[in-house]
Amino acid sequence: QQQVKQSPQSLIVQKGGIPIINCAYENTAFDYFPWYQQFPGKGPALLIAIRPDVSEKKEGRFTISFNKSAKQFSLHIMDSQPGDSATYFCAASFNNQGGKLIFGQGTELSVKP
Amino acid sequence: DVKVTQSSRYLVKRTGEKVFLECVQDMDHENMFWYRQDPGLGLRLIYFSYDVKMKEKGDIPEGYSVSREKKERFSLILESASTNQTSMYLCASNHRAGGAYNEQFFGPGTRLTVL
């Protein structure tokens, strides 16, 4: 019930492609779904986040799509660049968890020039 | 600019040693967290703290303890290191106000190898 399942584990795309990373959850009490981006040698950093009252959120080339009925959400990266090569983590939480996050397994993205 | 620092980037210890990992944040955050990161398993919460001297177990607390004597500092202790504790350890912090919607800020991580 507390798990967030993320796929794929790794992804290789060509520059300009649109990588899609998927996450699924079981606990319908979750009400906050952030994505974190981690570059090699660095800690993760917040990339974009969504709440379940909207179905889509865009920030620059990054878009979260949210399907509440399916309990799934995904990250799309438009016009991907080699600089987007990183590990991406989805996460979920609900407000009375005191700021705790439950993370997915991570996706290692490589964007080839 | 929020900064979370960890005492070491790389650490090599022997089985049975007591290991201390230190984390310091400079943003007056109430919450602090320790995670371990392993390939294919994501980030798993070891312990977290809501305030000075407060601590709560996360998902994988076995073999670990923590200490928070000052608001800005959160220490992770491996009482008797074992090879299965070889991992990347990440510290994070955020404000309590606003609950889950507050961004967690991470340190750069400590790569611990136990021989």
Side-chain angles (χ1 to χ4, degrees), chain B residues 15-88:
Chain B
T15 301
E17 280 194 76
K18 191 169 186 175
V19 182
F20 292 86
L21 303 182
E22 304 285 337
C23 176
V24 177
Q25 51 92 6
D26 66 359
M27 285 302 292
D28 202 34
H29 286 163
E30 295 82 14
N31 297 338
M32 296 189 76
F33 308 84
W34 274 107
Y35 296 90
R36 64 177 283 176
Q37 179 179 2
D38 300 287
L41 297 178
L43 301 174
R44 293 180 293 167
L45 183 64
I46 305 171
Y47 267 97
F48 59 104
S49 170
Y50 291 131
D51 204 344
V52 175
K53 298 193 186 294
M54 304 291 288
K55 61 183 179 184
E56 290 201 23
K57 294 180 180 179
D59 300 317
I60 51 165
E62 296 78 20
Y64 303 95
S65 62
V66 290
S67 172
R68 191 156 180 212
E69 296 297 319
K70 293 185 177 182
K71 189 175 186 179
E72 67 271 17
R73 189 179 298 269
F74 192 33
S75 302
L76 180 69
I77 303 153
L78 287 66
E79 294 290 342
S80 178
S82 64
T83 54
N84 63 13
Q85 292 177 311
T86 292
S87 186
M88 171 69 83

Side-chain angles (χ1 to χ4, degrees), chain A residues 4-59:
Chain A
V4 177
K5 294 184 179 178
Q6 182 173 346
S7 63
Q9 189 167 345
S10 64
L11 191 53
I12 301 173
V13 299
Q14 292 295 128
K15 178 182 173 183
I18 305 176
I20 300 172
I21 304 169
N22 300 298
C23 287
Y25 63 97
E26 288 296 323
N27 191 339
T28 55
F30 287 144
D31 61 359
Y32 174 66
F33 301 90
W35 285 87
Y36 279 74
Q37 180 188 52
Q38 183 183 30
F39 293 107
K42 304 284 188 183
L46 179 65
L47 180 65
I48 185 173
I50 197 169
R51 297 191 201 178
D53 51 345
V54 296
S55 60
E56 187 176 276
K57 183 173 181 181
K58 288 185 181 180
E59 286 186 7

Side-chain angles (χ1 to χ4, degrees), chain B residues 1-12:
Chain B
D1 196 21
V2 175
K3 199 164 183 185
V4 180
T5 56
Q6 295 184 230
S7 51
S8 305
R9 294 301 302 272
Y10 300 94
L11 211 51
V12 180

